[in-house]
Amino acid sequence: MIFGEELQAWYQEHKRDLPWRETHDAYKIWLSEIILQQTRVEQGMPYYYRFVERFNTVVDFANADEDDILHLWQGLGYYSRGRNMHKAARIVRDQFNGIFPVDYKTLLSLPGVGEYTAAAISSFANNEAQAVLDGNVFRVLARYYGIETPINSTEGKKVFAAIAKENLDQNHPAQYNQAIMDFGAIHCKPKQPLCEQCIFRLSCYAFTRGEVNQLPVKLKGKGSRDRYFNYFILKDSNRLLMSKRGEGDVWQNLYEFPLLESDHTMDIVDILNDEWFVSYFGKDADLSILQQQTKHILSHQNIYATFFEVRLKGDLIQKKSNWDYVILKDLDKLAKHKLIFTFLERSNF
């Protein structure tokens, strides 16, 4: 308990001023937790305010169109989070009478809510004695106790879960969880942790043995595959030809430009002679590069994207079912993934 008591004393002096800590509304806490998955607080804060302003209750969220959710989510990445949020909100509306659950077991039944998120919501909204385990907590515990078991191994998850539960302040679980998460985020950081000013410098295993940079240990994931995306920008007066992605791949249901995916980098000559390109744009089309190849990293994928401008001699030979012209002033209404969103921000359309 000494560890937890010192941690909470540190927290009282150094805690971050975050809007979702000023409420016990499980819906708003859920919003913040999902938004902050894979997202820094500084980046996620505007999105939190945006969602709360637009959808003040979980029922408002549930009643929205998916396109509206994804449009607000634009720029955060990991769009499956936004889709799962929409599914979860509809379950809360339909099965829980619009009252967001606050108990750990029920929360686990919602799409996109795993053990960490369920523990966070139940402890913050309901003061339920559930210990959180996120990247910050793993790092603090690994360094303080000198745990070399990989945090993403089956054995590691059991070891860390047991230690987290043992350290949890049963009387003040919400405060303890917030304390250890903040400590990892702003003090026991991944790089350049503030060890010399640390309240645990005399008792921390990693610091006293010079192993801070070696902990925590994490098993290497599978390698990434390379994909080559060739985007075609076709402007017709005040319209752009856009394409909506389908199911079963990255960026489901988001908008982009017509796309030819290849297994290598293609130049203009390659594309003009490509059977797919000719079948849609014709053999007399002109092509120029608007943006040289850029690399975009996703989980287990490296996307190499090149943007080409297409100029037709006549009309499109044929148009795919998921292609449609969009008036330029309406582009902002479409939910687009980051590659397209960034390209349009830098372009003069």
Side-chain angles (χ1 to χ4, degrees), residues 133-305:
L133 266 176
D134 72 345
N136 292 314
V137 179
F138 276 120
R139 186 166 57 254
V140 172
L141 295 178
R143 287 172 174 173
Y144 183 80
Y145 288 102
I147 305 170
E148 297 182 357
T149 310
I151 62 176
N152 56 338
S153 66
T154 301
E155 182 184 357
K157 291 175 183 177
K158 292 179 181 177
V159 169
F160 281 96
I163 293 177
K165 184 177 180 180
E166 181 181 338
N167 278 299
L168 181 68
D169 185 336
Q170 298 292 320
N171 296 317
H172 307 97
Q175 180 174 278
Y176 170 84
N177 282 334
Q178 290 166 342
I180 195 168
M181 291 167 66
D182 265 17
F183 189 78
I186 63 179
H187 193 93
C188 192
K189 300 179 290 185
K191 297 180 180 179
Q192 298 181 328
L194 309 178
C195 294
E196 295 297 336
Q197 299 87 43
C198 184
I199 56 175
F200 298 119
R201 62 186 178 277
L202 299 180
S203 54
C204 175
Y205 180 98
F207 180 66
T208 57
R209 290 165 177 78
E211 297 179 10
V212 171
N213 293 329
Q214 282 73 55
L215 295 172
V217 176
K218 189 174 184 180
L219 296 174
K220 289 185 178 180
K222 63 180 181 180
S224 298
R225 67 177 176 125
D226 294 337
R227 302 177 69 179
Y228 298 85
F229 285 10
N230 304 285
Y231 284 115
F232 303 109
I233 292 84
L234 178 58
K235 187 177 179 183
D236 176 45
S237 182
N238 65 335
R239 305 183 302 171
L240 278 180
L241 186 63
M242 301 297 291
S243 171
K244 188 173 185 178
R245 293 186 68 87
E247 305 285 337
D249 199 356
V250 295
W251 304 320
Q252 294 180 37
N253 299 325
L254 298 179
Y255 285 87
E256 58 183 10
F257 302 112
L259 165 69
L260 168 62
E261 181 173 355
S262 55
D263 58 6
H264 63 281
T265 299
M266 298 181 74
D267 59 23
I268 290 177
V269 174
D270 292 331
I271 291 174
L272 289 175
N273 290 315
D274 183 86
E275 186 176 316
W276 179 93
F277 180 85
V278 172
S279 69
Y280 288 104
F281 298 101
K283 60 182 179 180
D284 295 323
D286 287 330
L287 204 60
S288 60
I289 295 177
L290 284 180
Q291 180 176 296
Q292 297 286 349
Q293 188 176 86
T294 181
K295 183 178 180 180
H296 186 73
I297 301 175
L298 302 175
S299 297
H300 312 305
Q301 297 186 42
N302 299 314
I303 307 294
Y304 294 90

Side-chain angles (χ1 to χ4, degrees), residues 6-216:
E6 292 186 357
L7 198 60
Q8 290 179 78
W10 173 91
Y11 177 70
Q12 291 302 320
E13 185 177 350
H14 300 281
K15 63 182 176 181
R16 292 177 291 182
D17 183 18
L18 303 175
W20 44 87
R21 288 183 176 166
E22 306 302 320
T23 181
H24 292 291
D25 184 340
Y27 163 65
K28 292 178 180 176
I29 294 170
W30 166 75
L31 273 179
S32 71
E33 289 298 332
I34 302 298
I35 288 172
L36 293 180
Q37 291 173 7
Q38 309 292 334
T39 305
R40 298 188 312 275
V41 168
E42 298 76 16
Q43 182 187 5
M45 189 86 75
Y47 286 89
Y48 172 80
Y49 283 121
R50 199 177 303 164
F51 273 98
V52 169
E53 181 179 357
R54 181 75 176 274
F55 310 114
N56 191 50
T57 69
V58 68
V59 174
D60 295 333
F61 196 104
N63 290 340
D65 291 332
E66 183 180 273
D67 282 350
D68 291 337
I69 303 295
L70 295 179
H71 185 258
L72 280 183
W73 195 266
Q74 191 168 265
L76 271 177
Y78 298 91
Y79 288 88
S80 59
R81 288 184 292 166
R83 281 186 283 268
N84 280 331
M85 288 176 78
H86 200 209
K87 293 175 185 176
R90 291 185 167 183
I91 290 173
V92 172
R93 179 195 64 190
D94 299 339
Q95 298 181 21
F96 299 102
N97 298 316
I99 300 173
F100 209 98
V102 294
D103 65 286
Y104 179 78
K105 289 185 178 179
T106 304
L107 286 162
L108 282 176
S109 70
L110 298 178
V113 176
E115 293 178 350
Y116 159 73
T117 305
I121 297 171
S122 63
S123 66
F124 300 157
N126 195 38
N127 212 34
E128 187 174 332
Q130 297 289 342
V132 298
L133 266 176
D134 72 345
N136 292 314
V137 179
F138 276 120
R139 186 166 57 254
V140 172
L141 295 178
R143 287 172 174 173
Y144 183 80
Y145 288 102
I147 305 170
E148 297 182 357
T149 310
I151 62 176
N152 56 338
S153 66
T154 301
E155 182 184 357
K157 291 175 183 177
K158 292 179 181 177
V159 169
F160 281 96
I163 293 177
K165 184 177 180 180
E166 181 181 338
N167 278 299
L168 181 68
D169 185 336
Q170 298 292 320
N171 296 317
H172 307 97
Q175 180 174 278
Y176 170 84
N177 282 334
Q178 290 166 342
I180 195 168
M181 291 167 66
D182 265 17
F183 189 78
I186 63 179
H187 193 93
C188 192
K189 300 179 290 185
K191 297 180 180 179
Q192 298 181 328
L194 309 178
C195 294
E196 295 297 336
Q197 299 87 43
C198 184
I199 56 175
F200 298 119
R201 62 186 178 277
L202 299 180
S203 54
C204 175
Y205 180 98
F207 180 66
T208 57
R209 290 165 177 78
E211 297 179 10
V212 171
N213 293 329
Q214 282 73 55
L215 295 172

Side-chain angles (χ1 to χ4, degrees), residues 281-286 310-316:
F281 298 101
K283 60 182 179 180
D284 295 323
D286 287 330
V310 182
R311 293 175 299 279
L312 302 180
K313 297 295 169 114
D315 296 328
L316 276 176

